Amino acid sequence: MTLAAGRPYLAIPGPSVIPDRVLRAMHRGSPNIYEGPLIELVAGLMPDLRLVAGTTGHVAIYIGNGHAGWEAANANLFNRGDRALVLAVGQFGLSWANSARAMGVEVEVMDFGKSSPVDMGRVEAALRADTGHRIKAVLTTQVDTASSIKTDIPSLRAAMDAAGHPALLAVDCIASLGCDEFRMDDWGVDVMVSACQKGLMTPPGLAFVWFSEAARLRCGRSDLATPYWAWGPRAEPEEFWQLWDGTAPTSHLYGLREALDMIAEEGLPQVWARHHTLARTVWAAFDAWGAGNPAIAMNVADPAHRGWSVTAARLGAPHATRLRDWCEKQAGVTLGIGLGMAPSTDPAYHGFLRVGHMGHVNAHMTLGALAVMEAGMIALDIPHGEGALSAAVRVIGTGA
Ligand SMILES: *Cc1c(COP(=O)(O)O)cnc(C)c1O
């Protein structure tokens, strides 16, 4: 008997659950795109987008997904033949590197594997070795959604400064903005890329690039920045249409307005704290499951290097796929596939999964997902340690 009827829960690391408030805000006819309320709404969005990123710098909005955000950043950061240093701790760092390479950027990848964090000493050494300062920018993810590894951005900035290297620092916060603490200006980040469908709780369709005044001046007019991708007119438009290089993404803007209101009502530090607590709830459950069966383990051993919006884990093949299927069909909870850990044709692929806990998610959703996972382990005879749910409940109950 399936118990999946009722409201389903998409607990994958993006797109995230869309709040009813956001859906309702988007459900309207086309507004006037030349004058009136839409123009005022967009004027009000800009300061809130700066606030959520922790910057007084510029922001350019693109109609696109996260991949579009990468290309937008690449197009403005680099001229053809410029050099980039990419720090990869999972599939998403590698994919950003591929997009830059395909655009004609000379890319050097430092790959730290899929379960250990960026080694700041090695980054500093690589930058010191670049005596001619050919590297124009360092690209990295704050949280790589495939591995769930978090990169310590202030430490990275410190390593770049210690090396005395002038490269710009560009960070992909697609999985982490509005989930994990991020302070663009305080942390010395020059360029930041995000998208609206994860921590910002809006259906996929908007990408953002924030950039500092220093980055604007250093990048000038790149020969990769075709009219659609150039960030200048989007950030400082003379006319409304230049914000989008064409028609505005009208419904998305109403949705984003509502989502940013929700973040402001809760308060950004509280939003971060909620994600941190819910993440620790998930980690407590995995610790207990894994204590009874070493085949179950989170991908990242040290909690300090784990993102707060997604947890990547292994259950031993084929149990992760079996459990995902069971949770979706029997209980209405959809868990994320393992990404970049093994090719989908490899039997090992079926040993990995991810739990998304980003955006519009609260204690009962996270506890419910964990309880459903344990029910699935029991139903499927997947060996696991006892006490996961009481460990998870204790995190919520004590806040510790
Ligand atoms: C989701 C994600 C992307 C890709 O976003 P798409 O919208 O799927 O193109 C890139 N980087 C990170 C860190 C992500 O989480």
Side-chain angles (χ1 to χ4, degrees), residues 13 65-68 70 92 141 143-145 172-175 195 197-198 204:
N65 57 15
H67 283 67
W70 284 336
F92 287 89
T141 47
V143 173
D144 191 301
T145 325
D172 167 347
C173 293
I174 297 172
Q197 78 270 23
K198 295 182 184 176

Side-chain angles (χ1 to χ4, degrees), residues 225-265:
T226 51
Y228 188 81
W229 297 106
W231 62 22
R234 287 176 186 261
E236 291 174 299
E238 280 162 19
E239 297 189 51
F240 185 75
W241 68 270
Q242 291 177 301
L243 281 161
W244 333 100
D245 198 33
T247 304
T250 53
S251 292
H252 272 74
L253 296 173
Y254 286 104
L256 181 65
R257 174 67 273 161
E258 198 68 26
L260 290 171
D261 283 347
M262 291 175 67
I263 290 172
E265 286 162 20

Side-chain angles (χ1 to χ4, degrees), residues 91-359:
Q91 186 55 48
F92 287 89
L94 296 173
S95 295
W96 195 0
N98 289 341
S99 96
R101 195 177 293 113
M103 291 169 76
V105 178
E106 227 183 87
V107 177
E108 181 188 339
V109 177
M110 291 183 83
D111 190 342
F112 299 92
K114 296 167 186 168
S115 54
S116 32
V118 170
D119 178 338
M120 299 303 167
R122 279 181 58 199
V123 176
E124 185 182 330
L127 291 172
R128 279 187 199 281
D130 180 34
T131 49
H133 292 170
R134 289 205 48 223
I135 296 168
K136 174 108 178 268
V138 174
L139 313 183
T140 194
T141 47
Q142 186 186 21
V143 173
D144 191 301
T145 325
S147 63
S148 64
I149 297 173
K150 177 153 65 182
T151 298
D152 181 347
I153 302 300
S155 296
L156 174 57
R157 177 78 261 172
M160 293 172 68
D161 291 348
H165 198 290
L168 295 163
L169 172 56
V171 182
D172 167 347
C173 293
I174 297 172
S176 50
L177 192 73
C179 306
D180 245 282
E181 180 174 359
F182 183 81
R183 302 175 188 274
M184 181 167 166
D185 290 358
D186 291 352
W187 294 356
V189 173
D190 299 292
V191 173
M192 192 269 278
V193 180
S194 198
C196 67
Q197 78 270 23
K198 295 182 184 176
L200 299 184
M201 307 178 286
T202 303
L206 298 176
F208 311 93
V209 180
W210 289 259
F211 54 103
S212 65
E213 178 62 10
R216 186 184 75 80
L217 294 170
R218 278 275 298 285
C219 295
R221 278 197 65 145
S222 152
D223 66 12
L224 288 173
T226 51
Y228 188 81
W229 297 106
W231 62 22
R234 287 176 186 261
E236 291 174 299
E238 280 162 19
E239 297 189 51
F240 185 75
W241 68 270
Q242 291 177 301
L243 281 161
W244 333 100
D245 198 33
T247 304
T250 53
S251 292
H252 272 74
L253 296 173
Y254 286 104
L256 181 65
R257 174 67 273 161
E258 198 68 26
L260 290 171
D261 283 347
M262 291 175 67
I263 290 172
E265 286 162 20
E266 186 178 355
L268 193 54
Q270 165 59 29
V271 171
W272 295 334
R274 170 168 52 85
H275 281 87
H276 191 196
T277 300
L278 296 178
R280 288 186 297 111
T281 307
V282 174
W283 304 342
F286 271 104
D287 279 338
W289 289 327
N293 176 10
I296 301 181
M298 284 176 280
N299 187 49
V300 188
D302 182 349
H305 299 305
R306 290 182 199 143
W308 296 350
S309 51
V310 53
T311 299
R314 61 184 161 78
L315 264 72
H319 295 320
T321 296
R322 292 175 69 224
L323 184 63
R324 281 194 303 100
D325 286 348
W326 190 94
C327 291
E328 182 165 83
K329 295 194 179 96
Q330 303 299 323
V333 174
T334 304
L335 301 169
I337 59 167
L339 199 62
M341 295 299 172
S344 59
T345 47
D346 182 341
Y349 171 84
H350 300 289
F352 300 97
L353 58 71
R354 291 172 302 158
V355 183
H357 32 93
M358 54 173 57

